[in-house]
Amino acid sequence: MALAPLVAPSAPLSAQEIERYARHVLIPDVGMQGQRRLKNARVLVVGAGGLGSPALIYLAAAGVGTIGVVDDDVVELSNLQRQVVHGVADVGRLKSESAEQSLASVNPLVRVVRHDVRIDSANALEIIAGYDLVVDGTDNFPTRYLLNDACVLLGKPHVWGSIFRFDGQTSVWWALHGPCYRCVFPEPPPPGLVPSCAEGGVLGVLCAAIGSIQAAEAVKLIVGIGDPLVGRLMVHDALRQSWDVLTVHRNPDCAVCGDNPTVTELVDYQDFCGVSPPTVAGMPAGSVPAAADGSVPLITAQELADQLSGKGAAPDEGAAPEVVLVDVRGSEERSIASIPGARAIHLDAFRSGEAVAKLPFDRPVVIHCRSGIRSEEAARILIAAGHLDVRSLEGGILAWVREVDHTLPAY
Ligand SMILES: [Zn+2]
């Protein structure tokens, strides 16, 4: 499906620009006009991470005139295995700031607009409205559905990519010409079912494969050449080194782009994806474990450290029963960082019911994972089984590394 160019040409290029972009200008399908369209284009890249890194670098090199970068995270050491727009000296800096500097070194003719915010329902439409298309480099379902819905509402192309371990997927969702993300993935998976790259890992170079396709699709849409990935979903397996193309269709019953849409404005995507269960922080051990709304009691890393070292109990309480600490992560994660004394019982064992029989019901149980999502699920299962003193470590082992044991690696 050939589509008209998304962007009108800019004013004529300078001699310096023509020299810089000569290899583009030489391609008949791009030419001087195409390069002027790129100069006039405004592309928003959401996430300056694994996918955003190659996309940003190539879009800047290609001469996309205005590149927006949305990211409110800072660069961490564990990002550098794949997020090639950042370097060692950038650890601790805002990713948007680091990306801005990298892009300036690649192509100072490009204007970089930083959005040092978390994109959400309150700001998404306003931010995206200023751009011609969105390159989605996000790593979580709430933001992905948010970007989809915002792009549908604004009529913009949503150049999407997704990666996990050796597997990548990419497509261009554009409700004006084909399906949107929700047409193909109407519901998010249950929270915790699909592990994130932070939990399950990702082959670093896979980001280059998928992110560079996203950049190529952006260039094609801007210039109006070739067949964009509208209505096609590319599925890549880096182990087999295979690329499969699935045809995907618009769903007339789609909640956002269908004939009778029920989503006509941005909603609460944390809620939609079920990733913001209400929680109660700081409940003392021995109190009613689960509130009536099904929330899980939390314990902070410092409180856990005090309990493990016996500092938790008041002097007149006598010896408190020893807390059982349970780690529900996988063995690879535990090999990176573990809290001493934690018992390894995988989340799957909670889901299957096996874990319940392995835990004492007469001692307090604290469950932890990486960031506190999976441990809440496990805690909820144990509470439902009748355990009266279960808590989830708020912020997971990342909080433990931050607040208690700085010698462990954060990942
Ligand atoms: Zn749709």
Side-chain angles (χ1 to χ4, degrees):
M1 183 202 324
L3 295 173
L6 191 62
V7 179
S10 69
L13 303 179
S14 68
Q16 187 203 11
E17 286 170 319
I18 293 170
E19 181 177 344
R20 173 182 275 269
Y21 304 121
R23 299 299 182 277
H24 272 169
V25 174
L26 287 167
I27 308 174
D29 284 351
V30 180
M32 203 67 85
Q33 285 293 96
Q35 194 60 49
R36 286 168 56 186
R37 292 186 197 280
L38 290 169
K39 182 179 177 183
N40 221 12
R42 300 157 302 164
V43 172
L44 183 69
V45 178
V46 182
L51 295 174
S53 286
L56 284 165
I57 291 168
Y58 275 106
L59 291 171
V64 168
T66 302
I67 299 177
V69 184
V70 181
D71 210 310
D72 70 337
D73 267 348
V74 296
V75 180
E76 296 174 14
L77 187 61
S78 64
N79 298 149
L80 302 184
Q81 160 258 19
R82 65 202 177 283
Q83 300 183 13
V84 295
V85 79
H86 313 296
V88 173
D90 299 315
V91 171
R93 285 175 88 189
L94 272 174
K95 287 186 179 179
S96 57
E97 189 185 320
S98 160
E100 179 183 39
Q101 189 176 356
S102 290
L103 299 192
S105 72
V106 171
N107 188 350
L109 305 179
V110 165
R111 187 168 77 98
V112 175
V113 181
R114 281 169 45 190
H115 302 274
D116 304 341
V117 293
R118 184 153 296 243
I119 195 162
D120 60 22
S121 302
N123 60 23
L125 291 174
E126 192 185 336
I127 293 173
I128 294 171
Y131 294 89
D132 300 304
L133 65 85
V134 173
V135 171
D136 179 353
T138 57
D139 58 357
N140 64 83
F141 287 99
T143 312
R144 201 170 282 160
Y145 279 96
L146 165 74
L147 295 179
N148 178 73
D149 292 0
C151 285
V152 171
L153 294 174
L154 293 168
K156 311 261 182 190
H158 173 199
V159 184
W160 166 80
S162 164
I163 45 172
F164 181 69
R165 293 186 177 161
F166 299 101
D167 299 320
Q169 299 177 34
T170 177
S171 186
V172 174
W173 312 113
W174 196 2
L176 296 180
H177 300 281
C180 82
Y181 179 71
R182 274 194 200 246
C183 290
V184 179
F185 303 101
E187 298 281 341
L193 191 68
V194 179
S196 67
C197 291
E199 296 159 5
V202 60
L203 182 71
V205 69
L206 178 68
C207 302
I210 301 297
S212 65
I213 286 187
Q214 291 179 274
E217 289 304 301
V219 168
K220 284 162 57 187
L221 290 167
I222 291 162
V223 178
I225 50 174
D227 289 330
L229 280 177
V230 175
R232 288 184 294 151
L233 173 60
M234 293 201 74
V235 180
H236 175 47
D237 176 345
L239 281 183
R240 287 173 54 222
Q241 207 56 277
S242 62
W243 292 90
D244 296 310
V245 184
L246 310 176
T247 302
V248 285
H249 299 283
R250 176 178 175 268
N251 173 10
D253 297 324
C254 174
V256 64
C257 82
D259 298 336
N260 299 295
T262 53
V263 177
T264 54
E265 58 185 22
L266 299 181
V267 300
D268 182 332
Y269 293 89
Q270 301 288 334
D271 193 41
F272 173 64
C273 295
V275 294
S276 54
T279 51
V280 181
M283 281 183 67
S287 58
V288 179
D293 59 5
S295 61
V296 170
L298 301 178
I299 184 170
T300 67
Q302 192 55 57
E303 286 166 352
L304 175 62
D306 290 345
Q307 283 211 1
L308 291 175
S309 65
K311 281 193 243 162
D316 57 347
E317 280 179 1
E322 203 180 332
V323 64
V324 178
L325 178 62
V326 177
D327 181 350
V328 297
R329 300 172 302 152
S331 56
E332 294 82 5
E333 290 183 85
R334 296 199 310 274
S335 72
I336 295 174
S338 285
I339 301 175
R343 283 177 60 179
I345 305 179
H346 197 279
L347 177 61
D348 288 344
F350 282 85
R351 289 175 174 161
S352 70
E354 280 171 61
V356 172
K358 293 182 179 171
L359 290 166
F361 273 53
D362 56 352
R363 285 168 63 186
V365 172
V366 172
I367 304 179
H368 91 83
C369 60
R370 174 180 176 270
S371 67
I373 305 287
R374 285 171 286 172
S375 57
E376 283 205 12
E377 182 186 343
R380 199 168 279 115
I381 291 167
L382 198 55
I383 290 166
H387 202 298
L388 294 174
D389 194 349
V390 183
R391 280 175 293 170
S392 169
L393 175 59
E394 187 177 17
I397 196 167
L398 293 181
W400 180 270
V401 172
R402 215 167 38 239
E403 295 166 25
V404 178
D405 186 350
H406 309 297
T407 65
L408 289 173
Y411 71 101

